[in-house]
Amino acid sequence: PAFRRFVHQVLSQTLVSPTALLLALYYVRRQLPSIIGVGAGVSDEEMAALSLYAHPPSSAPFKLLTLGLMLANKYLDDNTFLNKTWHEVTGIPLAEINRMEAYFLCRTQYNIDVPQEPWHLFLLRIRSRELFNVVDTEESSRLDRVVGDLLADTYSTRGKHV
């Protein structure tokens, strides 16, 4: 319930586009391997990611979603929110938001572009999970339309990126 309220609050206050939300989820998925496999033989890089995203552990989903939304908003939109705004909307300390962004950008070598094929596969996975697990509701129908439109765009822009 707390995470659901958080997501609702952030999406309501920022009004990011459905495409930005999906891209944010893509970025979150891209970042997860650096913090999920933490156990014996942890590298310094994995410990750095863990200390950024999961300290305290209960904050990890909130921080990862915020980072994804923030980067997706900056990548897709001309008029973007400042990191300070993300801090005000989420309550995550500004210094942490700045460190998370810097870590992600360094880890990706400042390349947050998404090649067509991984994006297309990601959208297909989202669509199949959404249609398989959710009862037909207005929200699921809307998500299906958004993902369908994005998939159609992917087919019509062969060779281009998100």
Side-chain angles (χ1 to χ4, degrees):
F3 185 67
R4 184 177 286 213
R5 280 192 306 275
F6 175 81
V7 171
H8 184 332
Q9 171 206 333
V10 171
L11 294 178
S12 296
Q13 289 183 8
T14 60
L15 299 175
V16 296
S17 69
T19 303
L21 175 58
L22 290 168
L23 183 57
L25 294 174
Y26 181 89
Y27 289 151
V28 167
R29 186 176 177 280
R30 185 171 164 179
Q31 194 61 21
L32 281 178
S34 67
I35 62 172
I36 287 187
V38 175
V42 177
S43 73
D44 290 342
E45 187 173 331
E46 290 168 328
M47 283 307 295
L50 187 61
S51 69
L52 275 174
Y53 300 129
H55 186 70
S58 61
S59 69
F62 301 88
K63 290 179 178 180
L64 285 168
L65 180 67
T66 299
L67 176 66
L69 288 170
M70 186 174 77
L71 291 170
N73 176 247
K74 289 180 178 184
Y75 182 73
L76 293 173
D77 298 323
D78 290 332
N79 297 316
T80 64
F81 296 111
L82 300 172
N83 289 7
K84 182 180 177 188
T85 306
W86 289 103
H87 151 70
E88 291 166 354
V89 169
T90 65
I92 298 171
L94 181 57
E96 285 185 43
I97 287 176
N98 291 336
R99 283 195 311 272
M100 291 187 314
E101 180 182 36
Y103 177 83
F104 184 88
L105 291 172
C106 285
R107 186 165 172 79
T108 61
Q109 298 176 343
Y110 290 82
N111 181 9
I112 59 173
D113 189 41
V114 180
Q116 180 181 350
E117 193 63 28
W119 178 244
H120 180 237
L121 292 173
F122 177 75
L123 292 174
L124 287 174
R125 282 190 216 116
I126 291 286
R127 180 182 238 183
S128 67
R129 284 185 184 150
E130 193 274 330
L131 293 175
F132 185 78
N133 294 324
V134 178
V135 183
D136 189 30
T137 64
E138 186 178 327
E139 291 84 16
S140 68
S141 296
R142 197 169 98 200
L143 179 60
D144 185 46
R145 282 192 305 275
V146 168
V147 172
D149 290 347
L150 289 170
L151 285 167
D153 284 349
T154 300
Y155 285 121
S156 68
T157 58
R158 290 270 178 218
K160 295 182 182 174
H161 302 286
V162 172

